[in-house]
Amino acid sequence: MNQCAEATLPDHPFIAEIIRQTRAFDSYGVNDQLDTTALLQPYVVTKAQRREIPIIGDPDEEILARLKAYYSAIAMRIEAGCGMMATPLFNLSHEGFGRVIISVGKLLVLDRSLRDVHRFGFESLEQLCEQADVHVSSALVLINQLPEAAAA
């Protein structure tokens, strides 16, 4: 289900959703003037850039907003795929360690440990889409396997 390779990135459903979520988490309109490319640029952290970021660090509010926008976009894509509400829940320490879960009904469709959140990012937008597609696909398979729990 790798739609990134099939579609130009601005037309990919996940790209459209992450743009919506990123703008939604920008409650003060700081990024209103940014175009799509500039808005998505902080999600790309190359290996060279990651090496420059200290191993230990506290995530700032911008990184936390990007992290929440990413997993909220995944939840919205799951919701679009199954027609049931998907809810992301975050538990993060000030040091950038924690967990994110996405639930549909009583079913946990995504459970990820988070660490080194201050280094959150992907090698490319294509990788961002691929990872999101993997999460969405596995969640939809789980929902199809356990529809009673998802509908509860």
Side-chain angles (χ1 to χ4, degrees), residues 58-98:
D58 297 341
D60 61 21
E61 290 301 316
E62 289 180 24
I63 292 171
L64 294 176
R66 278 197 304 274
L67 181 78
K68 290 179 180 180
Y70 173 73
Y71 284 105
S72 294
I74 289 173
M76 294 303 100
R77 295 303 306 149
I78 292 168
E79 195 170 305
C82 70
M84 294 178 267
M85 185 170 19
T87 306
L89 299 166
F90 299 89
N91 182 11
L92 282 172
S93 74
H94 69 282
E95 296 171 332
F97 295 92

Short mmCIF file of all heavy atoms in Angstrom, two decimals, residues 58-98:
data_model
loop_
_atom_site.label_atom_id
_atom_site.label_comp_id
_atom_site.label_asym_id
_atom_site.label_seq_id
_atom_site.Cartn_x
_atom_site.Cartn_y
_atom_site.Cartn_z
N ASP A 58 15.96 17.80 25.45
CA ASP A 58 14.54 17.94 25.72
C ASP A 58 13.85 18.46 24.46
O ASP A 58 14.33 19.42 23.84
CB ASP A 58 14.30 18.92 26.87
CG ASP A 58 14.88 18.42 28.18
OD1 ASP A 58 15.14 17.21 28.29
OD2 ASP A 58 15.07 19.25 29.09
N PRO A 59 12.72 17.86 24.08
CA PRO A 59 12.00 18.33 22.90
C PRO A 59 11.34 19.68 23.18
O PRO A 59 10.84 19.92 24.27
CB PRO A 59 10.97 17.24 22.66
CG PRO A 59 10.76 16.60 23.98
CD PRO A 59 12.06 16.71 24.70
N ASP A 60 11.37 20.55 22.17
CA ASP A 60 10.68 21.83 22.32
C ASP A 60 9.24 21.70 21.83
O ASP A 60 8.83 20.65 21.32
CB ASP A 60 11.45 22.95 21.60
CG ASP A 60 11.57 22.72 20.09
OD1 ASP A 60 10.77 21.95 19.52
OD2 ASP A 60 12.46 23.33 19.49
N GLU A 61 8.49 22.75 21.96
CA GLU A 61 7.06 22.73 21.61
C GLU A 61 6.83 22.49 20.12
O GLU A 61 5.85 21.86 19.73
CB GLU A 61 6.37 24.02 22.05
CG GLU A 61 6.25 24.15 23.56
CD GLU A 61 5.45 23.01 24.18
OE1 GLU A 61 4.41 22.63 23.65
OE2 GLU A 61 5.91 22.51 25.24
N GLU A 62 7.73 22.97 19.27
CA GLU A 62 7.58 22.76 17.82
C GLU A 62 7.71 21.28 17.47
O GLU A 62 6.96 20.76 16.65
CB GLU A 62 8.62 23.58 17.06
CG GLU A 62 8.36 25.07 17.09
CD GLU A 62 9.42 25.84 16.32
OE1 GLU A 62 10.07 25.26 15.43
OE2 GLU A 62 9.59 27.03 16.63
N ILE A 63 8.67 20.62 18.07
CA ILE A 63 8.86 19.19 17.81
C ILE A 63 7.67 18.40 18.34
O ILE A 63 7.17 17.50 17.66
CB ILE A 63 10.19 18.69 18.43
CG1 ILE A 63 11.37 19.30 17.68
CG2 ILE A 63 10.25 17.17 18.40
CD1 ILE A 63 12.71 19.05 18.33
N LEU A 64 7.19 18.74 19.53
CA LEU A 64 6.03 18.06 20.08
C LEU A 64 4.81 18.26 19.19
O LEU A 64 4.03 17.31 18.97
CB LEU A 64 5.75 18.54 21.50
CG LEU A 64 6.81 18.18 22.54
CD1 LEU A 64 6.46 18.80 23.88
CD2 LEU A 64 6.99 16.68 22.65
N ALA A 65 4.64 19.45 18.65
CA ALA A 65 3.51 19.71 17.75
C ALA A 65 3.64 18.88 16.48
O ALA A 65 2.65 18.33 15.98
CB ALA A 65 3.43 21.20 17.42
N ARG A 66 4.86 18.75 15.94
CA ARG A 66 5.07 17.92 14.74
C ARG A 66 4.77 16.45 15.03
O ARG A 66 4.14 15.76 14.24
CB ARG A 66 6.50 18.06 14.22
CG ARG A 66 6.70 19.27 13.37
CD ARG A 66 7.97 19.20 12.54
NE ARG A 66 9.19 18.98 13.31
CZ ARG A 66 9.91 19.94 13.87
NH1 ARG A 66 9.54 21.19 13.79
NH2 ARG A 66 11.02 19.64 14.51
N LEU A 67 5.24 15.97 16.19
CA LEU A 67 4.99 14.58 16.58
C LEU A 67 3.48 14.32 16.69
O LEU A 67 2.96 13.34 16.17
CB LEU A 67 5.68 14.29 17.91
CG LEU A 67 5.54 12.88 18.44
CD1 LEU A 67 6.48 11.95 17.70
CD2 LEU A 67 5.83 12.86 19.93
N LYS A 68 2.79 15.22 17.36
CA LYS A 68 1.34 15.07 17.51
C LYS A 68 0.62 15.19 16.18
O LYS A 68 -0.34 14.45 15.93
CB LYS A 68 0.81 16.09 18.51
CG LYS A 68 1.26 15.79 19.93
CD LYS A 68 0.77 16.82 20.92
CE LYS A 68 1.25 16.47 22.32
NZ LYS A 68 0.79 17.43 23.32
N ALA A 69 1.07 16.07 15.32
CA ALA A 69 0.46 16.19 13.99
C ALA A 69 0.66 14.92 13.18
O ALA A 69 -0.27 14.46 12.49
CB ALA A 69 1.05 17.40 13.25
N TYR A 70 1.83 14.31 13.27
CA TYR A 70 2.12 13.09 12.54
C TYR A 70 1.19 11.96 12.98
O TYR A 70 0.54 11.32 12.15
CB TYR A 70 3.59 12.69 12.74
CG TYR A 70 3.95 11.36 12.15
CD1 TYR A 70 4.06 11.19 10.77
CD2 TYR A 70 4.19 10.25 12.96
CE1 TYR A 70 4.39 9.97 10.23
CE2 TYR A 70 4.53 9.03 12.42
CZ TYR A 70 4.63 8.89 11.05
OH TYR A 70 4.95 7.67 10.51
N TYR A 71 1.12 11.71 14.28
CA TYR A 71 0.28 10.61 14.74
C TYR A 71 -1.21 10.93 14.63
O TYR A 71 -2.03 10.04 14.43
CB TYR A 71 0.67 10.20 16.17
CG TYR A 71 1.94 9.38 16.16
CD1 TYR A 71 3.14 9.93 16.57
CD2 TYR A 71 1.94 8.07 15.70
CE1 TYR A 71 4.31 9.19 16.54
CE2 TYR A 71 3.11 7.33 15.66
CZ TYR A 71 4.29 7.89 16.08
OH TYR A 71 5.45 7.15 16.03
N SER A 72 -1.58 12.19 14.73
CA SER A 72 -2.98 12.56 14.49
C SER A 72 -3.35 12.36 13.03
O SER A 72 -4.47 11.93 12.73
CB SER A 72 -3.21 14.02 14.90
OG SER A 72 -3.05 14.17 16.29
N ALA A 73 -2.42 12.64 12.12
CA ALA A 73 -2.67 12.39 10.70
C ALA A 73 -2.83 10.89 10.44
O ALA A 73 -3.69 10.48 9.65
CB ALA A 73 -1.54 12.97 9.86
N ILE A 74 -2.04 10.07 11.11
CA ILE A 74 -2.19 8.62 10.98
C ILE A 74 -3.58 8.21 11.49
O ILE A 74 -4.27 7.43 10.84
CB ILE A 74 -1.07 7.87 11.74
CG1 ILE A 74 0.26 8.05 11.02
CG2 ILE A 74 -1.41 6.39 11.90
CD1 ILE A 74 1.46 7.50 11.76
N ALA A 75 -3.99 8.76 12.62
CA ALA A 75 -5.31 8.44 13.16
C ALA A 75 -6.41 8.83 12.19
O ALA A 75 -7.38 8.08 11.99
CB ALA A 75 -5.51 9.14 14.50
N MET A 76 -6.28 9.97 11.55
CA MET A 76 -7.30 10.41 10.59
C MET A 76 -7.33 9.51 9.36
O MET A 76 -8.40 9.24 8.81
CB MET A 76 -7.06 11.86 10.17
CG MET A 76 -7.26 12.86 11.29
SD MET A 76 -8.88 12.81 12.06
CE MET A 76 -8.56 11.87 13.54
N ARG A 77 -6.17 9.02 8.93
CA ARG A 77 -6.13 8.10 7.78
C ARG A 77 -6.75 6.75 8.17
O ARG A 77 -7.42 6.11 7.36
CB ARG A 77 -4.70 7.91 7.27
CG ARG A 77 -4.05 9.15 6.69
CD ARG A 77 -4.83 9.78 5.54
NE ARG A 77 -5.08 8.78 4.52
CZ ARG A 77 -6.16 8.77 3.72
NH1 ARG A 77 -7.08 9.69 3.82
NH2 ARG A 77 -6.31 7.83 2.83
N ILE A 78 -6.54 6.31 9.40
CA ILE A 78 -7.17 5.08 9.88
C ILE A 78 -8.68 5.28 9.89
O ILE A 78 -9.44 4.42 9.43
CB ILE A 78 -6.64 4.70 11.28
CG1 ILE A 78 -5.17 4.28 11.20
CG2 ILE A 78 -7.50 3.58 11.89
CD1 ILE A 78 -4.49 4.16 12.56
N GLU A 79 -9.10 6.41 10.41
CA GLU A 79 -10.53 6.73 10.45
C GLU A 79 -11.13 6.74 9.06
O GLU A 79 -12.23 6.22 8.84
CB GLU A 79 -10.69 8.10 11.12
CG GLU A 79 -12.09 8.41 11.57
CD GLU A 79 -12.12 9.65 12.44
OE1 GLU A 79 -11.40 9.72 13.44
OE2 GLU A 79 -12.91 10.55 12.10
N ALA A 80 -10.43 7.31 8.10
CA ALA A 80 -10.92 7.33 6.72
C ALA A 80 -11.02 5.93 6.14
O ALA A 80 -11.91 5.64 5.33
CB ALA A 80 -10.01 8.20 5.85
N GLY A 81 -10.12 5.05 6.57
CA GLY A 81 -10.10 3.69 6.04
C GLY A 81 -11.14 2.77 6.63
O GLY A 81 -11.56 1.81 5.99
N CYS A 82 -11.58 3.05 7.87
CA CYS A 82 -12.52 2.13 8.52
C CYS A 82 -13.87 2.75 8.83
O CYS A 82 -14.82 2.04 9.16
CB CYS A 82 -11.90 1.53 9.78
SG CYS A 82 -11.72 2.70 11.14
N GLY A 83 -13.96 4.07 8.79
CA GLY A 83 -15.22 4.72 9.08
C GLY A 83 -15.55 4.84 10.55
O GLY A 83 -16.66 5.23 10.92
N MET A 84 -14.59 4.51 11.42
CA MET A 84 -14.80 4.63 12.87
C MET A 84 -13.77 5.61 13.43
O MET A 84 -12.68 5.74 12.88
CB MET A 84 -14.65 3.27 13.55
CG MET A 84 -15.73 2.28 13.15
SD MET A 84 -15.50 0.68 13.91
CE MET A 84 -14.56 -0.16 12.63
N MET A 85 -14.12 6.27 14.53
CA MET A 85 -13.24 7.27 15.11
C MET A 85 -11.97 6.63 15.67
O MET A 85 -12.02 5.65 16.41
CB MET A 85 -13.94 8.04 16.22
CG MET A 85 -13.06 9.15 16.73
SD MET A 85 -13.77 10.37 17.87
CE MET A 85 -15.18 9.64 18.54
N ALA A 86 -10.84 7.19 15.27
CA ALA A 86 -9.53 6.77 15.77
C ALA A 86 -8.98 7.90 16.64
O ALA A 86 -8.97 9.06 16.22
CB ALA A 86 -8.58 6.47 14.62
N THR A 87 -8.55 7.56 17.85
CA THR A 87 -8.11 8.56 18.80
C THR A 87 -6.66 8.34 19.21
O THR A 87 -6.32 7.30 19.75
CB THR A 87 -8.99 8.48 20.08
OG1 THR A 87 -10.35 8.57 19.70
CG2 THR A 87 -8.65 9.60 21.04
N PRO A 88 -5.79 9.33 18.94
CA PRO A 88 -4.41 9.21 19.40
C PRO A 88 -4.28 9.71 20.83
O PRO A 88 -4.90 10.70 21.23
CB PRO A 88 -3.65 10.13 18.44
CG PRO A 88 -4.64 11.16 18.03
CD PRO A 88 -6.00 10.49 18.08
N LEU A 89 -3.49 9.01 21.64
CA LEU A 89 -3.22 9.40 23.01
C LEU A 89 -1.71 9.41 23.21
O LEU A 89 -1.02 8.46 22.83
CB LEU A 89 -3.85 8.42 24.00
CG LEU A 89 -5.37 8.30 23.92
CD1 LEU A 89 -5.84 7.07 24.68
CD2 LEU A 89 -6.03 9.54 24.45
N PHE A 90 -1.21 10.49 23.81
CA PHE A 90 0.22 10.66 24.00
C PHE A 90 0.54 10.73 25.49
O PHE A 90 -0.19 11.33 26.26
CB PHE A 90 0.70 11.98 23.37
CG PHE A 90 0.49 12.05 21.91
CD1 PHE A 90 -0.70 12.55 21.39
CD2 PHE A 90 1.46 11.63 21.03
CE1 PHE A 90 -0.91 12.62 20.04
CE2 PHE A 90 1.26 11.71 19.67
CZ PHE A 90 0.07 12.20 19.17
N ASN A 91 1.64 10.12 25.87
CA ASN A 91 2.18 10.25 27.22
C ASN A 91 3.68 10.45 27.05
O ASN A 91 4.39 9.52 26.70
CB ASN A 91 1.87 9.02 28.07
CG ASN A 91 2.37 9.17 29.48
OD1 ASN A 91 2.76 10.24 29.91
ND2 ASN A 91 2.37 8.06 30.21
N LEU A 92 4.14 11.68 27.27
CA LEU A 92 5.55 12.01 27.07
C LEU A 92 6.13 12.67 28.30
O LEU A 92 5.48 13.53 28.91
CB LEU A 92 5.71 12.98 25.90
CG LEU A 92 5.62 12.42 24.51
CD1 LEU A 92 5.60 13.55 23.49
CD2 LEU A 92 6.76 11.49 24.23
N SER A 93 7.35 12.29 28.63
CA SER A 93 8.06 13.00 29.68
C SER A 93 8.70 14.25 29.08
O SER A 93 8.80 14.37 27.86
CB SER A 93 9.14 12.11 30.29
OG SER A 93 10.23 11.98 29.40
N HIS A 94 9.17 15.14 29.94
CA HIS A 94 9.84 16.35 29.45
C HIS A 94 11.16 16.02 28.75
O HIS A 94 11.69 16.85 28.02
CB HIS A 94 10.07 17.34 30.59
CG HIS A 94 11.09 16.87 31.57
ND1 HIS A 94 10.81 15.93 32.54
CD2 HIS A 94 12.39 17.19 31.72
CE1 HIS A 94 11.89 15.70 33.25
NE2 HIS A 94 12.87 16.45 32.78
N GLU A 95 11.65 14.80 28.94
CA GLU A 95 12.90 14.39 28.32
C GLU A 95 12.71 13.76 26.94
O GLU A 95 13.67 13.38 26.29
CB GLU A 95 13.63 13.41 29.23
CG GLU A 95 14.05 14.03 30.54
CD GLU A 95 14.57 13.00 31.51
OE1 GLU A 95 14.17 11.82 31.44
OE2 GLU A 95 15.41 13.38 32.36
N GLY A 96 11.46 13.60 26.51
CA GLY A 96 11.20 13.07 25.18
C GLY A 96 11.04 11.56 25.11
O GLY A 96 11.24 10.96 24.06
N PHE A 97 10.67 10.95 26.23
CA PHE A 97 10.41 9.52 26.26
C PHE A 97 8.95 9.31 26.60
O PHE A 97 8.38 10.05 27.39
CB PHE A 97 11.28 8.82 27.31
CG PHE A 97 12.74 8.89 27.01
CD1 PHE A 97 13.53 9.91 27.51
CD2 PHE A 97 13.32 7.92 26.20
CE1 PHE A 97 14.88 9.98 27.23
CE2 PHE A 97 14.68 7.98 25.91
CZ PHE A 97 15.45 9.01 26.42
N GLY A 98 8.35 8.29 26.01
CA GLY A 98 6.96 8.03 26.34
C GLY A 98 6.33 7.03 25.39
O GLY A 98 6.99 6.12 24.88
#
